[in-house]
Amino acid sequence: MFKRTLKLTLSTLLSFIVSLSLPPGLVAQAAPSPGFSNPGLPLASLFNFSGTRPDNLGVTSGELAPCPSSPNCVSSQSSDPDHQIAPFPINESPTAAIQRLQEILQQQDNAEIISAEPNYLYGEFTSRIMGFVDDVEFWADPDNNVIQVRSASRLGESDLGVNRQRIETIRSEFASPSS
């Protein structure tokens, strides 16, 4: 009885604290995740700042969506040095490269694959504590024999370099002979 009351009180307190620091439009999205108040579920994140899935993802005319002006996005197709990141070179068929990337993402605790096609892979990464969601895309560009990449936060201004670091970590695993 005491543990259940304590969890409910802590959950309510955290919701209240977060709601004080957020703009009114985000308060509804800042509710604690179900795993926080249900002891039978693993704790994925304390909060759920998932935002709304963008409707401009995917490949259009050979391009991934451009990065917004905020510094929380990287793209191999950006010409802006703040957002630019190198694509992944491939030495195999585009389909095999995307399949290897899918296997790498499946190994990540905080990744969920949303769409996997022979030449395109889209996943969502959720931060452990706050539940922020980042959209990550990989496209096998047949004209340049590379994987074009884009990783962007849905909410906020700064990501403290998380998207760039994520892509570089995946690049390292992708380039590894054992992957």
Side-chain angles (χ1 to χ4, degrees):
M1 175 80 171
F2 175 73
K3 286 183 180 179
R4 183 172 175 85
T5 304
L6 180 61
K7 283 186 179 183
L8 179 58
T9 304
L10 183 57
S11 173
T12 304
L13 178 61
L14 286 172
S15 294
F16 176 73
I17 291 169
V18 168
S19 70
L20 291 177
S21 64
L22 292 175
L26 288 180
V27 172
Q29 296 174 2
S33 69
F36 183 75
S37 60
N38 185 343
L41 295 175
L43 182 63
S45 62
L46 293 176
F47 300 96
N48 182 8
F49 291 101
S50 61
T52 303
R53 185 175 290 156
D55 59 5
N56 65 338
L57 299 179
V59 182
T60 304
S61 301
E63 298 281 329
L64 296 170
C67 283
S69 60
S70 58
N72 58 6
C73 175
V74 295
S75 172
S76 60
Q77 294 181 314
S78 177
S79 58
D80 171 11
D82 292 333
H83 295 108
Q84 213 292 317
I85 195 163
F88 296 7
I90 54 176
N91 298 317
E92 60 199 309
S93 75
T95 302
I98 292 292
Q99 177 61 40
R100 277 199 313 123
L101 283 166
Q102 184 174 351
E103 292 167 5
I104 290 168
L105 264 59
Q106 288 170 335
Q107 304 277 330
Q108 308 291 317
D109 290 337
N110 61 338
E112 179 182 356
I113 294 173
I114 305 302
S115 176
E117 300 170 19
N119 67 344
Y120 176 79
L121 181 64
Y122 164 50
E124 295 176 346
F125 283 75
T126 304
S127 68
R128 296 189 194 285
I129 303 289
M130 299 305 286
F132 287 108
V133 175
D134 296 338
D135 299 290
V136 181
E137 300 177 277
F138 302 91
W139 171 56
D141 179 349
D143 294 337
N144 296 303
N145 204 36
V146 296
I147 300 291
Q148 301 288 356
V149 298
R150 180 181 185 274
S151 185
S153 301
R154 287 186 187 170
L155 300 174
E157 181 71 17
S158 174
D159 66 351
L160 304 173
V162 168
N163 284 291
R164 184 172 299 281
Q165 182 59 46
R166 173 183 302 115
I167 294 300
E168 292 304 340
T169 298
I170 293 170
R171 177 192 314 280
S172 177
E173 291 179 44
F174 183 76
S176 167
S178 62
S179 60

